Amino acid sequence: MPEKELEHIEGILREEDIILMRPEEEETYKKVEACQNCGLCLAVCPILEVLQHESYSGPRSITSELSRTVREFWKAKDVVYLCTLCGRCQEICSKNVPVPKVVSLIRSKLFKQRKELVPANFQAMLENLSNYGLAFEPMDEEARVESARGRLEILGLPYLPDKVKPNAEILYFPGCQAENLLPEIRESAKLVMEKMGVDYTLLPDLKCCSLPSILIGDSETADRLQKDFLEKVKSVGAKIVVTTCAGCTATLAEIKNRCSGDFEVKHLLEYILEDFGKEKFGKLVPNHPENVSVTLHSPCHLDRHVGKYTTDYAEELLKMLPQVEFKRLEEPGRCCGAGGLLNLYNPRISREIVRKEIEEIQKLNVHNVVTPCPLCLVQLDQALFKKRSKTQALDYTVFLAKRLYGA
Ligand code: SF4
Ligand code: SF4
């Protein structure tokens, strides 16, 4: 059907509050019908742990109630924007009901049909994504390098110029946060890969992985960013896309799987364990002048969206580093409360969730909590700072760079 006609029909349906679904969306939505109303998911949802049913009816309501009513998605507004998409409900569900996917689907329908219900706090990010293709306003190159150099200096790490070259085996994809807000992560990844002697390149014009657009519900921008990513991987000819962000890893891997791309997507820690080799990596790490105790916060987007094995990898690597004492959290994959843009939508609840994680971390009395995700890092860092905690939050890749370079 011609685009104009389709738009006209969609307009009429919108007025009548009738929602069109693409076949793959229909397939996702139908999965909620498997819900048997057992309530197991209610016991693991981090929002319910904080709200105690006060104003949130939980994952069961997303599945059982919505599957039994007409598709009045706007009635689910308060539920879907509170969900962190942590995936704990799906993990425990014997019917494997994909709540995070259903939540993203409902958000996309709200965005299309009832834009006035999309939280106003998403506006700035929405504008950045549409103006720059990035979740945060980019700095000019000179300011970015200056900021990166300053942060590396504080960490005691050297600065390496960017590598942009054709036909590299690895395309390093830093993601919006490491590109603009936390450049020490991007620079540390370069340092780690340089030490490993791997053939990598950066992109001269990085765009977002599309996760923030998916979370806002802006599927058109998400589609555009995904197309841009696939074209860039093809033009570089890379075999592996390496990331240092849990959200980018899960999102880009899903895009790759959907289009059967002939490349792989891995978090740097997966690349080290699966491709480079743990023993080989261990030989690169010198004895360090300082002993340090450390624990791991494993992000939802790795632990559940990619797989539990990523948490095992992250722990394995920490345990083999010289002069590092690893102390395990009872549950390393708890939700930090920032996912699903909850930190923007409802900072109070987001802070309540991370407070519980901080209590667990403080019981261990460690020097550092490390996490392979910039979003979790900011959330943990702010909460630890507020508590005036002695434990410092560090990005996982930055921690590896510090141990490799004796910093
Ligand atoms: S979503 Fe799964 S765990 Fe939750 S009530 Fe339904 S069947 Fe039970
Ligand atoms: S994905 Fe997480 S926050 Fe969302 S409903 Fe499920 S358990 Fe709750």
Side-chain angles (χ1 to χ4, degrees), residues 41 44-48 56 58-60 62 79 82-90 99-100 103 305 335 353:
C41 52
V44 294
C45 176
I47 311 295
L48 278 173
Y56 183 64
R60 184 170 59 178
I62 296 170
V79 185
L82 280 176
C83 172
T84 64
L85 285 90
C86 71
R88 293 180 62 156
C89 49
Q90 183 170 357
V99 175
V103 165
H305 293 240
C335 176
I353 296 173

Side-chain angles (χ1 to χ4, degrees), residues 163 169-170 190-200 271 276 280 284 405:
K163 264 189 195 168
E169 195 199 345
I170 292 172
K190 283 160 56 183
L191 288 168
V192 173
M193 288 190 287
E194 197 64 33
K195 212 41 144 193
M196 294 195 294
V198 298
D199 179 28
Y200 75 93
Y271 177 78
F276 189 75
K280 208 166 139 197
L284 298 176
Y405 287 77

Side-chain angles (χ1 to χ4, degrees), residues 40-54:
L40 272 180
C41 52
L42 303 179
V44 294
C45 176
I47 311 295
L48 278 173
E49 200 182 349
V50 168
L51 291 181
Q52 307 284 334
H53 294 272
E54 174 195 312

